[in-house]
Amino acid sequence: MGKQEVKSIKLKDLTLWTENPRDPISKDLKNKDVLRIALDDLHGKWGLRKLAKSMGNFYDLSEIPTVVYHGNVPIVYDGNRRVLLGQLQKGLLTDPLVEDWSFPEFPDELPCNVCDEQTALNNVLRKHGDSGSWLPLERDIFLHRFMKEPKSVFLLFDE
């Protein structure tokens, strides 16, 4: 089992994982770019407004982000949507499309499950692989790219 440790990290320091299977994008993009993609979401994968409403008045500390440090940068492998909402609520990110949204109250620092990359990937797969939050093709891409499994027939067909 990989090493995991709960550490508090400033919300402003958390960087979103751009390779998230929900919507993999360029590694060079910043949190504001990920926000724009999430808000332009034509397929309903991100559902930020719905998530904000479902969270109620405050951030639930029982669902903490999974974070891997890449050098000194804490990358959010799981919890990108929650971190985006927190950064919006705190004014760290802004967009005219969210001016009338209601956000849960977020602390300035979030407890995070800080772990090595393989543990984070295993956690992401466990939470999302068969839960219905990914399409089958997204799951197969994740399994091939990050878990080093051979390409599935579905993935080969997609190519």
Side-chain angles (χ1 to χ4, degrees), residues 17 20-21 66 77-79 118-130 133-134 142:
W17 187 36
N20 187 319
T66 297
Y77 275 55
D78 187 61
Q118 192 57 54
T119 301
L121 292 171
N122 288 335
N123 289 347
V124 168
L125 180 60
R126 179 186 53 79
K127 287 180 77 175
H128 298 288
D130 292 318
S133 63
W134 291 345
F142 180 87

Side-chain angles (χ1 to χ4, degrees), residues 48-62:
L48 288 179
R49 189 173 201 155
K50 181 179 177 183
L51 178 61
K53 285 181 181 181
S54 73
M55 289 176 74
N57 295 329
F58 62 91
Y59 176 73
D60 182 351
L61 294 174
S62 70

